[in-house]
Amino acid sequence: LGRAEQAELLIDGVSIDALSGGGAEKTCDAQLALATAHVDAGAVDAGVAALAQTLATCRSPRFLLERLPELVDLLARRGRESDARALLLSVRDDAGAQDVGRQAASLELGRLGSAPDLERASSGPDHALASLARIEIADRLLAGGEGAKARTMLRRVADDSDAEPFPRGLARLGLGRIAGGAGDQAAARIWFALARDESGDAWLREQATEALRALDSPEEVGPGPAEGTE
């Protein structure tokens, strides 16, 4: 047997109970771990089938919020975006699933290219997911040359006192990049400093700090629309 076949035999020999130790949430995590192991071992079809089986029974909002992005990234790395879409649609279109879980599926479908799903996610019940969807919409607008609309969408998140710190920080980072790309360094510094000082997230702080340093090297600031930030 080759290494891939040996790995498959080992994976198939592991029981869910041995991995989970009991409990519905731990069982779902264990099922997902085994499905992921199949994909990582090269048995992608078996992994996709296992993922479908997992999502058919594991529909708690917390599980879907945490795991759907991982699932999509896992399959995208294998060039299986179509399988990721099918799995996400199985959640989004399940009338019996909770609204937050369906909203999480819509957000991931939007990230895979579905504009209607981004719109759906942006008006869903979970505030953080809605904010992230609006940031994705703003990115699409900016890529399409609609800088003013993108800025308005990002301001909606950045100025929202009820928004979670992470999406709010992302929006501020985006506004800083738009301002920097338009040559408005003063506005860019303000947005980057807000993202750095108020986000509470290490990755965001690092990104904002690097962006502030890059203002001294204009060619390092990403291109933006002609308009500056108000």
Side-chain angles (χ1 to χ4, degrees):
L1 292 176
R3 293 176 64 85
E5 289 81 3
Q6 292 177 39
E8 270 298 288
L9 284 175
L10 288 172
I11 293 165
D12 290 338
V14 177
S15 71
I16 295 297
D17 289 341
L19 281 178
S20 70
E25 189 168 327
K26 289 183 178 179
T27 296
C28 287
D29 284 337
Q31 288 176 330
L32 184 63
L34 284 177
T36 299
H38 280 295
V39 175
D40 287 338
V44 183
D45 289 339
V48 169
L51 287 170
Q53 185 176 5
T54 299
L55 289 180
T57 55
C58 299
R59 292 289 176 87
S60 76
R62 179 177 178 178
F63 178 81
L64 295 174
L65 283 169
E66 291 180 352
R67 303 305 184 191
L68 285 181
E70 297 175 11
L71 179 157
V72 173
D73 289 345
L74 173 71
L75 293 178
R77 287 196 299 271
R78 292 284 181 169
R80 302 291 286 263
E81 290 90 348
S82 60
D83 290 307
R85 288 190 184 90
L87 292 172
L88 292 169
L89 287 169
S90 74
V91 176
R92 190 202 71 184
D93 295 340
D94 181 4
Q98 294 189 40
D99 287 343
V100 173
R102 298 174 71 185
Q103 183 186 7
S106 288
L107 175 57
E108 295 306 318
L109 284 163
R111 286 171 168 163
L112 287 174
S114 171
D117 276 292
L118 274 185
E119 290 292 341
R120 186 179 292 109
S122 73
S123 59
D126 185 85
H127 204 78
L129 289 176
S131 295
L132 290 172
R134 290 176 188 131
I135 291 168
E136 291 285 339
I137 292 170
D139 286 344
R140 302 268 178 96
L141 290 169
L142 189 58
E146 298 185 81
K149 290 182 180 179
R151 188 177 60 215
T152 298
M153 184 68 72
L154 290 173
R155 284 296 295 261
R156 186 175 174 183
V157 178
D159 296 341
D160 183 0
S161 60
D162 294 326
E164 294 289 334
F166 185 76
R168 201 172 179 189
L170 275 181
R172 287 167 167 171
L173 197 62
L175 286 163
R177 286 170 174 161
I178 289 175
D184 190 345
Q185 291 201 0
R189 287 184 188 279
I190 291 171
W191 287 120
F192 290 148
L194 284 170
R196 179 195 62 193
D197 298 339
E198 298 185 14
S199 70
D201 180 85
W203 179 84
L204 269 177
R205 286 197 301 271
E206 181 182 349
Q207 293 293 308
T209 299
E210 289 179 0
L212 283 166
R213 292 196 190 107
L215 288 176
D216 295 325
S217 302
E219 69 276 6
E220 296 182 23
V221 179
E227 307 92 350
T229 298
E230 295 176 359

